[in-house]
Amino acid sequence: MQQVSTLKKLSEILNLSISTVSRALKDHPDISEKTKTKVKELAEALDYEPNSYAIQLRTNKSKVIGILLPSVTNFFYDSVIAAIETKARDFGYSVVIMQSSDNVEIESANLKLLKQNRISGLFVSLTINTKNIEPFLKLNDLEIPVIFLDRVPVYELCNKIRFADTEASRIAAEVLIEKNKKHVLALFGHPSLTITQKRESSFKETYQTKSPKTKLDIAYPESSAPAKIVTLDAFKRKDKPDAIFCMGDLILIGVMEAIHELNIKVPEEVSIISISNGFIPNMYHPKITYVETSGYKLGLQSFDRMLACLLDKTDVKEVLVDPILVEGKSL
């Protein structure tokens, strides 16, 4: 088996002290350029890799950032991960990704594992039922910054990156009002989530202010299967909706399954608008009009905030990512 190259081996071959070799590999200003070049060329020839575990033990930190999400199979979170991972690589960090499956106990167990592995920072989107965020906040005492993203806590004194949810719902409501829709089926996520509460409140408030006579039917299907059932039931009634608002992609998928099953024409018989990451609306014909809440943009801004915390130890801050309207042919 090939012998693993170590600092000691490099120092013996070059007849330099271990400390000189180590500082040369780190581009220390006290080491001459000639010595740095010589050390780095030999290190590359011998496939030398720093002992990351030893570094972790010495510094109590790693160059690894944790990502803890409800799901990694969701299109939105997939794009969040892609953005964070790309940016992390650019700055010499690796990422470890864990999912809670929207289960508080799994979330807690995964948090302990990430902490034991001496992560440098943590991105987390909370489960539906997470009420106590104290275990996350305690990481800050260990100088491990925590960035809450998308599903964020109500607690103010923490770093949060989320979409301007009230703005996203307001945009969607105003578009439907402009189209003079009289009966809107509005479908939201779990009512205990702050993201649901903000979007629902803004949607209702916009209608109360600008179109109070419009009939609003509100439901909370959360995912595709119940969204399909709610939509099928709505079209069994005599007073059918002429527009459907979907709070997210999973709800949109269920709605479109029902629409196709019932052979309802879009937009002739019903108009559809969604808040979306952008991939799902483009799968349908006609393409669905949506208010973009890009997971990739959220991931990029989340990493920028993490980097600021790692480098500058800045105060906590809430960052809002602005949504934009992307017009399809579904209205």
Side-chain angles (χ1 to χ4, degrees):
M1 183 173 67
Q2 187 176 3
Q3 184 179 1
V4 177
S5 300
T6 64
L7 285 176
K8 184 178 180 181
K9 185 174 181 64
L10 294 174
S11 68
E12 289 174 350
I13 294 173
L14 295 170
N15 196 26
L16 297 170
S17 68
I18 291 177
S19 64
T20 298
V21 171
S22 177
R23 285 184 293 164
L25 290 170
K26 296 175 182 176
D27 278 324
H28 197 284
D30 289 347
I31 307 300
S32 70
E33 291 301 320
K34 181 179 178 180
T35 300
K36 288 179 185 177
T37 300
K38 187 165 55 175
V39 170
K40 290 178 181 178
E41 286 179 352
L42 180 61
E44 184 176 354
L46 296 179
D47 291 326
Y48 168 76
E49 291 289 345
N51 187 334
S52 59
Y53 184 68
I55 294 172
Q56 283 182 237
L57 291 176
R58 185 173 67 252
T59 64
N60 205 33
K61 293 282 184 65
S62 68
K63 291 285 283 185
V64 176
I65 296 175
I67 304 177
L68 180 52
L69 303 171
S71 171
V72 297
T73 59
N74 179 299
F75 286 114
F76 174 79
Y77 287 126
D78 180 65
S79 58
V80 170
I81 291 169
I84 292 175
E85 198 276 334
T86 298
K87 292 275 284 188
R89 191 187 314 119
D90 290 342
F91 286 90
Y93 287 90
S94 300
V95 299
V96 56
I97 304 159
M98 306 191 82
Q99 64 178 356
S100 65
S101 301
D102 252 338
N103 182 296
V104 175
E105 291 182 358
I106 296 175
E107 181 181 72
S108 178
N110 285 342
L111 177 60
K112 289 179 181 178
L113 285 173
L114 290 166
K115 182 180 175 182
Q116 288 168 2
N117 281 277
R118 294 181 170 87
I119 54 172
S120 293
L122 175 65
F123 297 100
V124 59
S125 184
L126 299 171
T127 77
I128 289 173
N129 297 310
T130 301
K131 305 299 182 186
N132 179 22
I133 65 166
E134 190 62 30
F136 293 102
L137 298 179
K138 284 182 178 179
L139 291 183
N140 292 312
D141 297 334
L142 302 174
E143 297 187 347
I144 301 173
V146 177
I147 308 295
F148 294 96
L149 56 85
D150 189 44
R151 292 187 187 176
V152 302
V154 176
Y155 181 69
E156 293 295 331
L157 298 178
C158 58
N159 281 295
K160 295 185 276 190
I161 312 291
R162 64 175 180 83
F163 290 104
D165 294 305
T166 56
E167 176 73 3
S169 281
R170 182 191 62 77
I171 291 172
E174 288 181 344
V175 170
L176 292 175
I177 291 170
E178 184 182 334
K179 296 294 182 179
N180 199 31
K181 298 303 172 181
K182 302 299 184 183
H183 182 183
V184 178
L185 175 62
L187 305 180
F188 295 91
H190 197 285
S192 71
L193 290 173
T194 56
I195 186 173
T196 298
Q197 294 163 6
K198 289 179 182 294
R199 291 181 178 182
E200 181 187 2
S201 176
S202 176
F203 195 83
K204 287 179 177 179
E205 183 179 336
T206 303
Y207 265 98
Q208 288 166 1
T209 303
K210 298 186 176 184
S211 185
K213 293 184 179 180
T214 299
K215 182 178 181 181
L216 291 182
D217 289 337
I218 307 292
Y220 308 91
E222 300 179 38
S223 60
S224 57
K228 178 180 179 179
I229 293 171
V230 170
T231 307
L232 290 172
D233 289 343
F235 282 93
K236 289 178 182 177
R237 308 186 193 112
K238 289 184 179 180
D239 185 15
K240 298 177 177 60
D242 60 2
I244 303 175
F245 165 74
C246 306
M247 192 186 103
D249 281 327
L250 292 178
I251 293 173
L252 175 62
I253 290 171
V255 167
M256 294 308 295
E257 286 181 2
I259 294 298
H260 290 159
E261 187 173 308
L262 295 171
N263 292 316
I264 296 172
K265 294 180 180 179
V266 178
E268 291 85 355
E269 297 177 74
V270 67
S271 296
I272 298 175
I273 188 169
S274 181
I275 295 177
S276 173
N277 189 39
F279 178 75
I280 299 298
N282 290 296
M283 294 176 62
Y284 299 105
H285 181 76
K287 292 181 179 179
I288 307 300
T289 295
Y290 65 97
V291 180
E292 182 193 67
T293 50
S294 166
Y296 199 83
K297 289 180 182 178
L298 185 76
L300 292 178
Q301 293 210 26
S302 297
F303 189 85
D304 287 345
R305 185 65 193 148
M306 174 65 77
L307 195 62
C309 293
L310 289 169
L311 297 178
D312 302 325
K313 310 301 181 187
T314 59
D315 293 334
V316 296
K317 184 178 180 182
E318 181 174 34
V319 177
L320 299 182
V321 181
D322 291 329
I324 60 171
L325 178 67
V326 180
E327 296 194 27
K329 299 290 184 179
S330 62
L331 296 179

